[in-house]
Amino acid sequence: MLGDFTYSNPTRLYFGKNALEVLANELPNYGKNILLTYGGGSIKKNGIYDSVVTILKSAGKNIIELPGVMANPTSEKLIEGAKLARENNVDLILAVGGGSVCDYSKAVSVSAYYDGDPWEKYFLKMEEPECKIIPVGCVLTMVGTGSEMNGGSVITNHAQKLKIGHVFGDNVFPKFSILNPEYTFSVPQYQMTAGFFDIMCHILEQYLSGTDDNTSDYISEGLMKSLVHSSRIAVKNPHDYEARSNIMWTATWALNTLIAKAKTTDWEVHMLGQAVGAYTNATHGMTLSAVTLAYYRHILKDGLKRFARFAVNVWGVNPEGKSDSELAEEGLKALESWMKEIGVVLHLKELGVTPEMFEGLADATFILEGGYRKLTRDEVIEIFRESM
Ligand code: NZQ
Ligand code: ZN
């Protein structure tokens, strides 16, 4: 391991079937006004809303509701939330939902007391907050993004056709997150498998970079093996608690900063996927699965040794008598068959992408330098074409 780093994670995490009970213990740490953020209504159908509201009311809190946080939350919705939080002198933002609600709540937390345009400040200019930040707590209902224990917040601006993530520092991480694997049982299969792929992609974005011998990469291999094992069980039986709990915990570790320590990281799949998201508003995990194989085939030769290690250590490919290129190819094939097995989207056309969009998609794709090779704009277009 050759890099220097600092490690801290300020989020207190409560995990298990009874995890929501601790909300009552957390609430006295905050003032009376709670902004309850949630999505399009799934929490009302599965009863999580009622359980949360009962606890808030018993604690004597004043609840300000902010429903309708959409998947891939928008810059307009951010302005609405920031205004509501400020007008109501909110003491805690309680996000009840998936990555979108959690990301959104973090964005509101740094925008309520900022007088300018938060999209411009935090997402276009990537500036850090200087204003008062409202604390955020999270009750997670959908697994994949890792937003429950990180500073990430991804916002979409449809007018500008841009989807951009800002990774904020410790002061924006959720103060606490409540993870009950049973809450994820009602997630529709499409969203569930998109989440599984998002987890795999987060790990790969960090694993497929760098050449030194690094503890983080061994942890990543363990996480990927656990994910592959449990996802195979969960797609057949979504109510398998053991599989869903392992996946929930794996998702958190996949993106709570640990496995990036002392490493360079790639994140180009996310840049390609986010451009697709900005154009189509497609489900995040599926935008990644649709471009992954084409991207990795483009950089395979540049990261041959790591791709070969991925084949052997994650997929159990027998290395005997095989060259690194043969192993690397077999590793990608194994990844592809797992993707088919869990049923993620493999073609961009299924997400509504058309060839007329390629130029615009390339404009919306940020080209990063942390992977095994920096792409050219022409290659970005080729990757979109090959992903159709
Ligand atoms: O809105 P409701 O009705 O709640 O329905 C949601 C939504 O339609 C539904 N859902 C969530 N929990 C459910 C449920 N349905 C039934 N039962 C439940 N228990 O699932 C749908 C998708 O939810 P969403 O929150 O959008 O999914 P996800 O967790 O994948 O979040 C996606 C967002 O996170 C960003 C993505 O770009 C995207 O905007 N990301 C955030 C990251 C971070 N903070 O670090 C990193 C990721 O790479 C990602 O970019
Ligand atoms: Zn992701």
Side-chain angles (χ1 to χ4, degrees), residues 152-212:
S153 175
V154 184
I155 297 293
T156 301
N157 185 314
H158 287 295
Q160 294 176 15
K161 290 214 182 316
L162 287 173
K163 180 176 184 182
I164 301 178
H166 186 132
V167 181
F168 291 99
D170 282 13
N171 51 356
V172 182
F173 278 50
K175 300 290 174 237
F176 62 89
S177 281
I178 293 172
L179 274 62
N180 178 347
E182 286 180 344
Y183 286 179
T184 67
F185 287 176
S186 56
V187 173
Q189 186 99 5
Y190 185 87
Q191 299 293 342
M192 178 184 80
T193 52
F196 294 173
F197 191 78
D198 195 20
I199 303 167
M200 175 59 86
C201 190
H202 293 162
I203 303 171
L204 288 175
E205 298 269 32
Q206 298 165 92
Y207 178 73
L208 294 173
S209 176
T211 52
D212 60 337

Side-chain angles (χ1 to χ4, degrees), residues 198 202 270 284 288:
D198 195 20
H202 293 162
H270 271 68
H284 172 66
L288 307 172

Side-chain angles (χ1 to χ4, degrees), residues 237-285:
N237 179 13
H239 286 231
D240 187 308
Y241 183 86
E242 193 178 32
R244 296 305 287 271
S245 66
N246 280 322
I247 294 168
M248 197 171 209
W249 193 218
T250 298
T252 302
W253 283 99
L255 198 50
N256 72 355
T257 78
L258 176 85
I259 62 168
K261 290 303 159 196
K263 275 185 66 73
T264 53
T265 53
D266 185 349
W267 295 107
E268 195 57 49
V269 176
H270 271 68
M271 297 303 106
L272 296 159
Q274 281 175 201
V276 173
Y279 268 72
T280 62
N281 204 28
T283 297
H284 172 66

Side-chain angles (χ1 to χ4, degrees), residues 225-242:
K225 282 162 88 164
S226 172
L227 173 66
V228 169
H229 175 75
S230 295
S231 62
R232 284 179 169 147
I233 297 167
V235 287
K236 292 201 186 90
N237 179 13
H239 286 231
D240 187 308
Y241 183 86
E242 193 178 32

Side-chain angles (χ1 to χ4, degrees), residues 40-42 98-100 103 141-142 145 150 152 163 183 186 202 270 284:
S42 70
S100 292
D103 277 19
T141 67
M142 145 98 203
T145 64
N150 70 34
K163 180 176 184 182
Y183 286 179
S186 56
H202 293 162
H270 271 68
H284 172 66

Side-chain angles (χ1 to χ4, degrees), residues 59-363:
K61 299 295 182 185
N62 174 31
I63 307 170
I64 301 111
E65 295 210 14
L66 177 42
V69 179
M70 60 292 279
N72 311 320
T74 63
S75 48
E76 286 95 350
K77 186 76 182 171
L78 170 56
I79 307 275
E80 178 196 327
K83 191 163 170 274
L84 194 68
R86 188 164 176 163
E87 280 170 1
N88 288 281
N89 202 13
V90 162
D91 299 299
L92 172 72
I93 304 173
L94 187 62
V96 185
S100 292
V101 177
C102 194
D103 277 19
Y104 173 77
S105 301
K106 291 179 218 170
V108 169
S109 80
V110 295
S111 302
Y113 293 97
Y114 174 61
D115 290 324
D117 174 4
W119 165 255
E120 188 182 319
K121 178 176 175 67
Y122 299 124
F123 299 92
L124 289 180
K125 294 187 179 162
M126 284 291 165
E127 290 174 3
E128 295 310 315
E130 290 117 24
C131 58
K132 174 178 160 188
I133 300 171
I134 304 172
V136 172
C138 167
V139 177
L140 195 68
T141 67
M142 145 98 203
V143 164
T145 64
S147 188
E148 66 275 12
M149 206 182 196
N150 70 34
S153 175
V154 184
I155 297 293
T156 301
N157 185 314
H158 287 295
Q160 294 176 15
K161 290 214 182 316
L162 287 173
K163 180 176 184 182
I164 301 178
H166 186 132
V167 181
F168 291 99
D170 282 13
N171 51 356
V172 182
F173 278 50
K175 300 290 174 237
F176 62 89
S177 281
I178 293 172
L179 274 62
N180 178 347
E182 286 180 344
Y183 286 179
T184 67
F185 287 176
S186 56
V187 173
Q189 186 99 5
Y190 185 87
Q191 299 293 342
M192 178 184 80
T193 52
F196 294 173
F197 191 78
D198 195 20
I199 303 167
M200 175 59 86
C201 190
H202 293 162
I203 303 171
L204 288 175
E205 298 269 32
Q206 298 165 92
Y207 178 73
L208 294 173
S209 176
T211 52
D212 60 337
D213 185 41
N214 189 315
T215 300
S216 293
D217 295 323
Y218 295 91
I219 300 172
S220 290
E221 287 166 353
L223 291 174
M224 285 189 274
K225 282 162 88 164
S226 172
L227 173 66
V228 169
H229 175 75
S230 295
S231 62
R232 284 179 169 147
I233 297 167
V235 287
K236 292 201 186 90
N237 179 13
H239 286 231
D240 187 308
Y241 183 86
E242 193 178 32
R244 296 305 287 271
S245 66
N246 280 322
I247 294 168
M248 197 171 209
W249 193 218
T250 298
T252 302
W253 283 99
L255 198 50
N256 72 355
T257 78
L258 176 85
I259 62 168
K261 290 303 159 196
K263 275 185 66 73
T264 53
T265 53
D266 185 349
W267 295 107
E268 195 57 49
V269 176
H270 271 68
M271 297 303 106
L272 296 159
Q274 281 175 201
V276 173
Y279 268 72
T280 62
N281 204 28
T283 297
H284 172 66
M286 298 308 189
T287 64
L288 307 172
S289 59
V291 298
T292 284
L293 294 167
Y295 171 62
Y296 286 148
R297 293 207 164 97
H298 269 254
I299 62 158
L300 196 71
K301 281 197 181 66
D302 308 276
L304 207 53
K305 286 230 169 301
R306 182 59 53 90
F307 278 102
R309 174 175 159 176
F310 173 61
V312 176
N313 290 1
V314 177
W315 300 105
V317 173
N318 179 1
E320 234 168 90
K322 290 175 194 154
S323 66
D324 280 349
S325 349
E326 285 165 335
L327 288 173
E329 287 289 347
E330 276 194 50
L332 274 197
K333 286 208 181 93
L335 174 65
E336 185 173 0
S337 37
W338 172 73
M339 291 165 77
K340 286 182 179 156
E341 204 180 325
I342 64 167
V344 291
V345 169
L346 294 173
H347 304 286
L348 279 176
K349 60 176 180 298
E350 289 172 49
L351 303 177
V353 173
T354 57
E356 297 71 48
M357 291 180 189
F358 290 162
E359 288 292 332
L361 284 172
D363 290 341

